[in-house]
Amino acid sequence: MTDKILVDARGLSCPQPVLETKAALESARGNTVEVLVDTVTSRENVLRLASRMNWKGTWEETQEGTFRITLEK
Amino acid sequence: MDDPELWGQIAAANALSDVFAMGGKPFVALNIVGFPVHCEPLELLEAVLKGGQSKVIEAGAVLAGGHSVEDEEPKYGLAVFGEAEKAKIWRVSGARPGDVLILTKPLGTGLCTTAIKAGMADLLDTKPVFDSMARLNDLPRHLDRELHQSIHACTDVTGFGLAGHLLDMLSGYRVDCRLDPEALPAFKGVLDVADLGLIPAGAYRNRELYSSRIDNLEKAPLSLQDLLFDPQTSGGLLLAVDPEAAQAFLELCQSGCAPESRAIGRFLDGTGRIRF
């Protein structure tokens, strides 16, 4: 399975991006989860959550100050 | 925070704390209120003010009126006037090498409110957190002259977190403070909240502002680091206490007026850094 689940949490303030990511990880069944956020706080909090749930996380900053976080089991 | 009376109590405890943190006693308080009179019932405001008044009375001060304006959302605070003998004022800097660092309330109110906002309050026990925020920092009212003078410096822990306010105490750049990570008091459950990524934005701002003045920060677990930077609402007093008096002082605190007080570090010769 290579399906990707996208969580677009841009424009949401914490803790909402974390809650949406948590729901996605819980239903991901091993698929890759991609999360878009637009603050450093949200990026770090999503990575903390992922690490706690034993997911590996990487991120890149796309041009307009958006962070794309890729989470894999 | 759904309980308006408790909200008033916490706001008042927070406002009164500034006078206590200077070793003084508050005399007069004035309410400062913003309130959306057309959207919220006046009973709500009454409950907030009742909560605030109860804390002003408990602090031994008089509520002498105040000012209110119409506002988009409810806001409440107090202007507080107090008195301290000039020679006995506790200042924020003035800690000496050897002094014991004592904190009078546990840490983690910012993490707690973030968990509540996330609908995950069941991760922790919120009652002790609310009780702590509403508790007065009225230590100066309970100290005899000798113990009062054994305090070499004091501040209260609020929005800049333990790290920011402790660095303020070190701003004379003549002493460092070695924190004992295992002694840092945290409300039950807040470290788990941090590990789940429920960390307030203010904690990240504090980390960015202060981490360059903290040695060995990276050796501590992340959740403990978060505790150091967590912004506090109505946090405890942070005191530099003469080592000769520290034990007696701590026992007095723990026996009544500040039951959750802990020794969390030591001052030593240095250049204004926190050592972790």
Side-chain angles (χ1 to χ4, degrees):
Chain A
M1 288 286 283
T2 54
D3 286 351
K4 200 184 269 186
I5 297 172
L6 180 70
V7 178
D8 187 351
R10 288 174 294 178
L12 300 178
S13 59
C14 262
Q16 209 53 38
V18 169
L19 298 179
E20 297 200 359
T21 304
K22 185 166 183 285
L25 294 182
E26 280 164 355
S27 63
R29 299 171 187 275
N31 292 326
T32 298
V33 174
E34 198 171 274
V35 186
L36 300 177
V37 295
D38 51 13
T39 68
V40 172
T41 297
S42 296
R43 185 192 76 203
E44 292 302 307
N45 280 346
V46 165
L47 289 168
R48 279 296 285 281
L49 170 78
S51 156
R52 175 73 173 74
M53 293 175 73
N54 295 317
W55 286 66
K56 288 193 195 74
T58 54
W59 61 270
E60 57 174 339
E61 186 168 7
T62 59
Q63 67 276 21
E64 71 277 35
T66 297
F67 300 104
R68 179 189 290 134
I69 306 166
T70 307
L71 303 172
E72 289 170 318
K73 194 70 183 176
Chain B
M1 173 74 48
D2 293 326
D3 178 343
E5 190 170 336
L6 180 61
W7 184 51
Q9 289 177 4
I10 292 170
N14 194 53
L16 291 155
S17 179
D18 284 335
V19 174
F20 290 131
M22 295 183 77
K25 292 169 187 171
F27 273 166
V28 178
L30 298 169
N31 285 328
I32 305 164
V33 175
F35 198 77
V37 278
H38 299 296
C39 317
E40 297 283 355
L42 274 177
E43 289 76 24
L44 184 94
L45 179 58
E46 274 173 27
V48 171
L49 296 180
K50 184 178 166 209
Q53 183 173 23
S54 72
K55 284 291 154 181
V56 171
I57 292 168
E58 187 187 331
V62 175
L63 190 59
H67 295 284
S68 59
V69 292
E70 195 174 340
D71 205 342
E72 284 175 14
E73 57 178 18
K75 298 187 179 91
Y76 176 55
L78 299 98
V80 180
F81 303 85
E83 187 180 62
E85 272 180 56
K86 197 173 177 188
K88 288 173 67 183
I89 289 178
W90 297 341
R91 297 181 195 280
V92 68
S93 60
R96 303 169 197 174
D99 282 355
V100 177
L101 179 70
I102 290 175
L103 174 65
T104 64
K105 289 182 183 177
L107 298 164
T109 69
L111 291 160
C112 174
T113 40
T114 308
I116 292 171
K117 265 190 221 162
M120 295 169 84
D122 56 337
L123 288 169
L124 31 80
D125 188 1
T126 53
K127 184 164 187 308
V129 185
F130 293 148
D131 288 350
S132 176
M133 288 194 282
R135 188 175 300 134
L136 292 175
N137 280 334
D138 61 349
L139 253 181
R141 303 171 75 214
H142 301 274
L143 301 178
D144 60 24
R145 190 168 186 89
E146 199 179 334
L147 270 183
H148 195 286
Q149 285 178 334
S150 71
I151 310 301
H152 295 156
C154 179
T155 188
D156 55 355
V157 183
T158 52
F160 297 115
L162 175 62
H165 293 282
L166 178 54
L167 283 168
D168 201 19
M169 293 181 87
L170 302 174
S171 57
Y173 302 105
R174 288 195 194 90
V175 286
D176 282 357
C177 186
R178 183 187 301 285
L179 280 179
D180 176 0
E182 310 213 326
L184 289 188
F187 292 110
K188 195 167 165 251
V190 292
L191 295 178
D192 297 332
V193 167
D195 277 330
L196 283 171
L198 299 171
I199 300 162
Y204 287 100
R205 276 198 298 278
N206 289 339
R207 177 187 286 271
E208 189 162 333
L209 282 170
Y210 303 124
S211 57
S212 66
R213 288 174 65 192
I214 304 173
D215 293 337
N216 295 323
L217 179 64
E218 65 288 349
K219 290 185 185 163
L222 268 178
S223 55
L224 211 57
Q225 298 180 29
D226 296 322
L227 201 59
L228 198 60
F229 297 117
D230 187 43
Q232 304 298 287
T233 297
S234 192
L237 294 179
L238 194 56
L239 307 112
V241 186
D242 188 302
E244 299 277 313
Q247 193 54 38
F249 176 78
L250 203 52
E251 281 168 15
L252 180 120
C253 292
Q254 289 171 343
S255 69
C257 58
E260 295 183 277
S261 299
R262 298 279 180 277
I264 61 166
R266 273 272 185 174
F267 292 90
L268 58 169
D269 283 316
T271 57
R273 298 183 65 82
I274 294 174
R275 305 189 200 174
F276 207 39

